[in-house]
Amino acid sequence: MGYKIAVVGATGNVGREMLNILAERQFPVDEIVALASRRSLGTEVSFGDTTLTTKDLDAFDFTGWDMALFAVGSEATKKYAPKAAAAGCVVIDNSSLYRYDPDIPLIVPEVNPQAIHDYKNKNIIANPNCSTAQMVVALKPLHDRAKIKRVVVSTYQSVSGSGKDAIDELWNQTKGMYVPGQEVEPKVYPKQIAFNVIPHIDVFMDSGDTKEEWKMIAETKKIVDPSIKVTATCVRVPVFVGHSESVNIETEEFLDEDEARDILREAPGILVVDKRESGGYVTPVECVGDFATFISRIRQDVTVDNGLNFWCVSDNLRKGAALNAVQIAELLGREVLKKG
């Protein structure tokens, strides 16, 4: 016997990817429904070899459904997630709405699977921010060995993190640079994204951090350890899919780069590609479509007593969003619901 699964926001980038990954990983589905807003009603989406026609989220009754994977914005989630949860359907939410609620678990299955049992508080589980998810997968095994005191991270985030309109803007701006009269002014972003980088993701806060930077700080503390100090600079780059991060950590105990490499090679969800030669590292282009978080450029930071640097790359639509949500669903099924 399998599960009755609803995918909410099934016509968006992340919703479609959720359907792809559920099929790829052969999630034990007994019945599946694709839900969308009325303006997308009737749109066809793929689930493995099957084509699903979207149904109206507004009119849908979640009673009798096991899990709902939400891939819509915070406003829609605020309206529909409590309805699903009240009907007995466990919500796995990809928006930022519930991430900082102390009663709602924020989960990366490779890092804090034990938190899954806290779903009972509100029948809702939160999926972390894409840039946080890939980083904490790498931080956790190193933290277990040497206790991380401080993290300094700079991100290089692809435009797919902003949705389809951002992908189109990069594509059209890039073409427009070469065709007189077809130049495209910025709409999604405050400045040109083609052939440029923008050190601004989400809104600015009073501290001078952007909301994206604050998310990485708050979520790392909630998922890994509240005692870790984190500082982040988040940058949008002209890449379609795949987030990259330059990560510097300082640990309480000395951790040799060779031991760190061995630890990461054994860690779940990670692939180490770290050769000190031309091309001996992973870039965003190579990570697209892959489930893993890739770690390269592992090396000692000699400016502090116990420091390490590494390069972290992952498909943000997968590990940063859809894959992590499906992994949470798998964990929930395996540890709690036990139907599949």
Side-chain angles (χ1 to χ4, degrees), residues 84-126:
C89 178
V90 182
V91 171
I92 300 170
D93 176 37
N94 195 61
S95 81
S96 61
L97 181 64
Y98 295 114
R99 291 174 186 160
Y100 315 106
D101 185 325
D103 292 328
I104 291 177
L106 179 66
I107 294 178
V108 175
E110 297 94 335
V111 178
N112 60 336
Q114 70 284 352
I116 195 70
H117 298 282
D118 294 334
Y119 87 95
K120 294 177 182 176
N121 294 337
K122 294 188 177 179
N123 232 26
I124 297 172
I125 302 166

Side-chain angles (χ1 to χ4, degrees), residues 76-320:
T77 300
K78 190 175 183 179
K79 180 178 180 181
Y80 296 106
K83 291 181 180 179
C89 178
V90 182
V91 171
I92 300 170
D93 176 37
N94 195 61
S95 81
S96 61
L97 181 64
Y98 295 114
R99 291 174 186 160
Y100 315 106
D101 185 325
D103 292 328
I104 291 177
L106 179 66
I107 294 178
V108 175
E110 297 94 335
V111 178
N112 60 336
Q114 70 284 352
I116 195 70
H117 298 282
D118 294 334
Y119 87 95
K120 294 177 182 176
N121 294 337
K122 294 188 177 179
N123 232 26
I124 297 172
I125 302 166
N127 206 25
N129 187 41
C130 49
S131 49
T132 306
Q134 68 186 68
M135 182 175 74
V136 297
V137 171
L139 294 184
K140 181 59 163 59
L142 301 177
H143 183 63
D144 287 346
R145 161 62 181 82
K147 194 167 176 60
I148 296 171
K149 295 195 299 183
R150 182 169 183 256
V151 178
V152 181
V153 56
S154 297
T155 72
Y156 307 74
Q157 294 179 226
S158 66
V159 296
S160 57
S162 303
K164 183 180 181 301
D165 288 345
I167 294 173
D168 292 343
E169 183 158 298
L170 173 57
W171 175 249
N172 291 325
Q173 273 185 0
T174 303
K175 289 191 297 182
M177 297 288 287
Y178 295 98
V179 183
Q182 292 188 20
E183 297 83 1
V184 175
E185 291 298 314
K187 290 183 180 178
V188 175
Y189 296 116
K191 299 198 177 198
Q192 173 187 313
I193 185 61
F195 303 100
N196 198 17
V197 298
I198 304 171
H200 173 195
I201 301 177
D202 212 323
V203 297
F204 278 95
M205 305 177 73
D206 290 342
S207 64
D209 290 325
T210 63
K211 188 73 175 288
E212 184 81 358
E213 291 155 356
W214 177 84
K215 288 174 188 175
M216 292 195 74
I217 296 165
E219 292 174 20
T220 300
K221 287 175 175 290
K222 184 173 180 178
I223 296 168
V224 183
D225 187 333
S227 70
I228 295 177
K229 295 179 180 179
V230 183
T231 183
T233 301
C234 294
V235 182
R236 193 71 70 185
V237 297
V239 170
F240 287 113
V241 178
H243 287 358
S244 304
E245 297 171 349
S246 170
V247 184
N248 173 272
I249 64 170
E250 185 178 355
T251 56
E252 286 191 2
E253 296 180 36
F254 178 75
L255 181 58
D256 177 79
E257 64 187 43
D258 292 326
E259 185 183 356
R261 197 174 289 109
D262 289 340
I263 289 170
L264 290 170
R265 281 199 177 105
E266 296 298 318
I270 288 176
L271 279 177
V272 174
V273 180
D274 190 18
K275 297 179 180 178
R276 294 179 176 178
E277 59 187 45
S278 180
Y281 41 81
V282 173
T283 61
V285 168
E286 295 146 287
C287 81
V288 175
D290 206 296
F291 290 136
T293 294
F294 293 90
I295 305 297
S296 307
R297 303 292 320 281
I298 302 164
R299 62 205 188 278
Q300 227 77 46
D301 173 9
V302 298
T303 67
V304 292
D305 289 337
N306 302 323
L308 282 171
N309 293 300
F310 61 87
W311 175 249
C312 176
V313 179
S314 192
D315 182 332
N316 56 294
L317 297 179
R318 292 208 152 206
K319 186 55 190 169

